[in-house]
């Protein structure tokens, strides 16, 4: 099986909060067009890994390469222009801005009016709920709708690589299902995705490959289906004996 | 004299200046949670620059309106540069510092700017050359009734235009939405590709540009500029911003206008209300004195400045989030 050319390469990436080493030198590769998940328990260092990639938390050592370029420690607003977009943990919608303004901010880096209008229509078609409420402030949306808005907003930037941080967190089961369907649809449209999840089963089911993270280190990696069957993964994350 | 109507006109005039200055405080607070106490000094610099330009042009035969316009157009870029430099040099390095540090820095900057102005423009009050002849228009049919001057009309119109323009900028442009997004969540704004340092710098510069025009308005209204004029004016505008709810743009405008009116009405009536001669019926001694001097007021209109701070104290005690403020008290 041919591996796709890599879009994102983490090489011995280490991120620390002061003395606490949250990510202890991990190697992760995401190929072009892949949907890769990074699973692990709460506090394993998944979100910190994303912060290290996005330059929102200083990298202690190691490198982040994106599309062949060393982007270690680059400010997040510059990464967006390169097509690397993150949907942060807790969704991070601008509660005081309307839904349309939120989506507009997603397209902040773009100036092609026609293309923006087209993408806006596409996102409204995907999430009719957002179109109905586009003049309302985003703070009035439910958690699930806010997640849709956050993903839609990220899509407005026309990303090449999308980093999703715990999109299912705090959502009702039905909503979680919907969010994962959306993630899969986004991936099918050609966007490369690195998905961070606590919900290991769902994440592995939609992904092609997966990494398992424990106390700041990658303990297992490989084909998502193989990981789903792996007894260690089943015991630790899928609640099976 | 129709005191009420006259003081209302005076109060609205002054209040619209407060509103313009208060917008600068509230915009900066909204985006970086910092009270820029040097903002009043930016107003002063605007008045000073305009003074210099008007003095230079007063001898020419340019039409008065052109002179004032040129002075304003000179003051705006100077103040915007000052505002930008304050952010870039003093506040940005302290953005992650404990909140007391930028606050003390702000007070220090205020002193530095005052002393710079003292060096450049001297310590004397500088009289604005009277290029514009003041014309009064009667507001009532009564010959001695309330009046409004052309300068007051100009200030009211100019303020209204600036506030409308600012609101359009904030609510109708991409930059404005980016400013509001940055105010709500800086790190997520960064994830949208917004260069938050640039947006914050622009916010300071816009606030300073408004302050420049306010400086020209105050200078022309009172006919004088002084290196310390920004201090009290800044504190009052800050009180206005707190009254409206700091961080809230509509609040700053409402607070400014209300404060101007409260101050003017207070100054207009405090003498009558505290006139001891009203007690003549009860106290013989007072009645005797009042026969020679019917005005035994405890407080006169020179107590005008007190009202702004009474309002500030009352707001902080009874409604710390201000009239329109929704922000939680722990951020104030």
């Amino acid at each position: 099986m041919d591996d796709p050319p890599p879009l994102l390469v983490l090489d011995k990436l280490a991120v620390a909060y002061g003395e606490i080493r949250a990510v202890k030198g991990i190697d992760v590769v995401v190929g072009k067009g892949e949907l890769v998940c990074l699973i692990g328990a709460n506090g394993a260092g998944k979100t910190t890994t994303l912060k290290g990639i996005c330059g929102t938390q200083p990298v202690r050592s190691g490198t982040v390469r994106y599309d062949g370029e060393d982007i270690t420690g680059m400010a997040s607003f510059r990464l967006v222009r390169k097509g690397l977009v993150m949907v942060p943990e807790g969704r991070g919608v601008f509660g005081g801005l309307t839904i349309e303004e939120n989506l507009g901010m997603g397209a902040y880096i773009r100036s092609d009016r026609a293309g923006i209008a087209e993408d806006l229509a596409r996102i409204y078609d995907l999430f009719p709920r957002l179109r109905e409420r586009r003049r309302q402030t985003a703070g009035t949306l439910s958690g699930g709708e806010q997640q849709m808005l956050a993903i839609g907003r990220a899509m407005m930037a026309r990303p090449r690589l999308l980093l999703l941080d715990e999109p299912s967190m705090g959502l009702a089961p039905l909503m979680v299902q919907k969010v994962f369907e959306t993630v899969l649809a986004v991936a099918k449209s050609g966007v490369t995705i690195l998905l961070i999840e606590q919900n290991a089963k769902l994440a592995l089911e939609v992904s092609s490959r997966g990494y398992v993270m424990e106390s700041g280190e990658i303990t297992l990696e490989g084909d998502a289906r193989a990981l789903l069957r792996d007894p260690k993964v089943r015991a630790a994350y899928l609640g099976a004996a | 004299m129709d005191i009420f109507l006259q003081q209302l006109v005076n109060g609205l005039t002054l209040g619209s200046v407060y509103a313009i200055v208060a917008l600068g405080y509230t915009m900066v607070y909204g985006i970086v949670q910092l009270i820029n106490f040097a903002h009043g000094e930016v107003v002063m610099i605007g008045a000073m620059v305009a003074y210099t330009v008007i003095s230079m042009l007063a001898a020419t035969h340019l039409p008065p309106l052109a002179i004032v316009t040129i002075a304003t157009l000179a003051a705006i870029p100077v103040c915007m540069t000052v505002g930008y430099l304050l952010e870039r040099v003093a506040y940005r390095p302290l953005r992650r510092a404990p909140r007391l540090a930028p606050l003390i820095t702000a007070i220090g900057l205020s002193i530095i700017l005052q002393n710079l102005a003292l060096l450049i423009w001297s310590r004397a009050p500088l009289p604005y050359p009277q290029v514009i002849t003041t014309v009064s228009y009667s507001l009532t049919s009564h010959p001695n009734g309330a009046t409004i001057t052309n300068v007051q009309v100009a200030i009211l119109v100019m303020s209204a235009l600036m506030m409308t323009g600012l609101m359009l900028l904030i609510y109708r442009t991409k930059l404005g939405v980016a400013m509001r997004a940055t105010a709500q969540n800086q790190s997520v704004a960064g994830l949208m590709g917004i260069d938050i340092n640039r947006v914050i710098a622009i916010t300071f510069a816009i606030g300073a540009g408004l302050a420049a025009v306010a400086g020209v308005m105050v200078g022309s209204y009172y006919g004088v500029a002084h290196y310390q004029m920004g201090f009290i004016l800044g504190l009052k505008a800050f009180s206005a911003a707190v009254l409206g709810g700091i961080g809230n743009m509509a609040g700053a405008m409402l607070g400014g206008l209300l404060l101007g009116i409260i101050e003017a009405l207070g100054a207009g009536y405090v003498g009558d209300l505290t006139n001891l001669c009203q007690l003549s019926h009860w106290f013989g001694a007072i009645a005797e004195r009042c026969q020679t001097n019917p005005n035994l007021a405890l407080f006169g209109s020179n107590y005008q400045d007190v009202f702004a701070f009474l309002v500030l104290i009352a707001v902080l005690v009874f409604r710390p989030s201000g009239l329109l403020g929704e922000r939680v008290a722990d951020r104030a």
Side-chain angles (χ1 to χ4, degrees):
Chain A
M1 193 170 86
D2 278 348
D3 283 340
L7 186 58
L8 180 76
V9 181
L10 308 185
D11 185 16
K12 298 189 179 54
L13 183 74
V15 188
Y17 295 99
E19 289 301 300
I20 303 151
R21 293 168 64 221
V23 177
K24 303 168 183 169
I26 60 168
D27 295 314
V28 171
V29 179
V30 182
K32 279 184 182 138
E34 267 193 312
L35 198 177
V36 174
C37 67
L38 178 60
I39 59 174
N42 200 4
K46 307 184 300 293
T47 294
T48 311
T49 304
L50 282 199
K51 287 185 175 169
I53 298 172
C54 285
T56 45
Q57 185 67 34
V59 169
R60 180 59 56 90
S61 63
T63 55
V64 182
R65 295 186 74 79
Y66 168 75
D67 206 13
E69 186 190 354
D70 186 349
I71 58 157
T72 316
M74 195 178 276
S76 53
F77 78 91
R78 291 187 202 285
L79 296 175
V80 179
R81 280 161 216 277
K82 296 178 185 293
L84 195 162
V85 176
M86 173 158 102
V87 177
E89 188 180 16
R91 307 176 263 279
V93 300
F94 300 113
L97 267 53
T98 66
I99 283 141
E100 193 138 311
E101 284 173 338
N102 266 278
L103 292 169
M105 282 295 100
Y108 181 79
I109 51 162
R110 296 169 58 186
S111 47
D112 55 323
R113 280 167 176 273
I116 293 172
E118 221 171 85
D119 287 2
L120 192 63
R122 193 173 310 138
I123 281 157
Y124 281 150
D125 288 342
L126 201 58
F127 309 116
R129 195 88 177 117
L130 298 182
R131 174 179 279 139
E132 281 167 34
R133 308 186 147 206
R134 60 179 196 228
R135 303 253 174 263
Q136 284 182 31
T137 54
T140 62
L141 294 178
S142 74
E145 290 164 347
Q146 287 192 9
Q147 187 64 60
M148 300 298 175
L149 176 59
I151 295 174
R153 186 178 63 179
M155 293 307 292
M156 291 297 291
R158 288 209 176 157
R160 293 174 61 208
L161 173 62
L162 191 60
L163 308 177
L164 290 172
D165 195 353
E166 304 266 10
S168 77
M169 194 169 69
L171 300 185
L174 209 66
M175 217 59 221
V176 172
Q177 202 66 42
K178 187 130 201 285
V179 166
F180 273 91
E181 280 165 20
T182 309
V183 171
L184 212 51
V186 170
K188 287 231 170 76
S189 73
V191 180
T192 309
I193 296 178
L194 176 59
L195 170 68
I196 304 284
E197 258 301 335
Q198 275 189 62
N199 190 332
K201 184 169 181 286
L202 272 174
L204 287 169
E205 277 171 3
V206 295
S207 304
S208 54
R209 288 189 305 115
Y211 290 85
V212 180
M213 200 167 182
E214 256 173 66
S215 348
E217 283 167 293
I218 301 287
T219 51
L220 274 175
E221 60 176 278
D223 183 73
R225 259 151 255 297
L227 285 176
L228 267 173
R229 288 190 301 268
D230 189 288
K232 274 183 285 180
V233 175
R234 290 175 68 88
Y237 303 105
L238 304 179
Chain B
M1 266 272 274
D2 190 346
I3 294 184
F4 181 78
L5 191 59
Q6 185 62 60
Q7 291 303 81
L8 201 62
V9 170
N10 297 347
L12 274 176
T13 310
L14 209 51
S16 48
V17 177
Y18 292 158
I20 296 296
V21 183
L23 279 170
Y25 275 103
T26 228
M27 282 169 70
V28 163
Y29 183 86
I31 210 157
V32 283
Q33 281 77 53
L34 159 80
I35 307 290
N36 176 17
F37 274 118
H39 191 57
E41 270 55 51
V42 180
V43 180
M44 176 270 292
I45 290 171
M48 291 299 206
V49 171
Y51 161 80
T52 305
V53 175
I54 293 177
S55 304
M56 276 172 5
L57 297 178
T60 65
H61 293 289
L62 284 168
L65 201 60
I67 295 180
V68 178
T69 308
I70 294 171
T72 311
L73 292 181
I76 291 172
V78 173
C79 287
M80 286 178 97
T81 311
V82 172
Y84 172 78
L85 286 176
L86 291 181
E87 195 279 328
R88 188 69 192 85
V89 177
Y91 297 134
R92 191 181 298 182
L94 294 175
R95 212 174 282 158
R96 290 179 196 283
R99 300 193 55 171
L100 201 55
L103 194 67
I104 293 170
T105 304
I107 295 168
L109 288 170
S110 160
I111 296 169
I112 291 173
L113 290 178
Q114 278 188 28
N115 284 281
L116 276 178
L118 174 88
L119 289 175
I120 299 172
W121 284 286
S122 92
R123 63 171 66 247
L126 307 171
Y128 261 54
Q130 286 299 313
V131 286
I132 293 184
T133 16
T134 311
V135 185
S136 294
Y137 305 98
S138 196
L139 287 170
T140 54
S141 49
H142 196 270
N144 289 329
T147 60
I148 187 165
T149 69
N150 51 350
V151 175
Q152 286 179 319
V153 172
I155 289 176
L156 288 171
V157 170
M158 196 62 209
S159 308
L161 284 179
M162 283 198 292
M163 289 189 239
T164 316
L166 186 66
M167 282 294 145
L168 288 176
L169 172 77
I170 299 291
Y171 286 94
R172 289 279 179 272
T173 69
K174 190 164 144 182
L175 173 67
V177 183
M179 285 166 73
R180 287 189 290 139
T182 306
Q184 283 179 38
N185 191 333
Q186 284 190 15
S187 67
V188 177
L191 293 176
M192 302 293 109
I194 299 169
D195 181 352
I196 59 167
N197 282 330
R198 186 169 159 266
V199 169
I200 291 171
I202 291 174
T203 306
F204 270 85
I206 293 175
L210 294 173
V213 183
V216 181
M217 296 196 294
V218 177
S220 327
Y221 189 47
Y222 289 124
V224 68
H226 186 243
Y227 77 101
Q228 282 180 329
M229 69 189 278
F231 180 69
I232 277 282
L233 185 70
L235 278 183
K236 285 184 185 171
F238 167 66
S239 307
V242 173
L243 171 62
I246 190 126
N248 184 312
M249 310 258 300
M253 296 189 261
L254 178 69
L257 291 176
L258 274 180
L259 196 73
I261 293 169
I262 291 170
E263 207 179 273
L265 291 180
Y269 286 106
V270 70
D272 290 345
L273 292 178
T274 61
N275 194 347
L276 289 181
C277 291
Q278 289 175 71
L279 305 175
S280 310
H281 296 295
W282 292 285
F283 300 104
I286 291 177
E288 264 173 46
R289 286 239 197 132
C290 286
Q291 274 170 354
T292 49
N293 177 11
N295 195 4
L296 263 184
L298 283 178
F299 303 104
S301 59
N302 51 344
Y303 277 78
Q304 178 181 3
D305 291 348
V306 171
F307 293 98
F309 305 115
L310 282 179
V311 167
L312 179 63
I313 292 167
V315 170
L316 290 177
V317 170
F318 296 108
R319 198 176 158 84
S321 56
L323 294 175
L324 302 184
E326 287 157 33
R327 280 167 186 272
V328 221
D330 68 10
R331 296 186 83 178

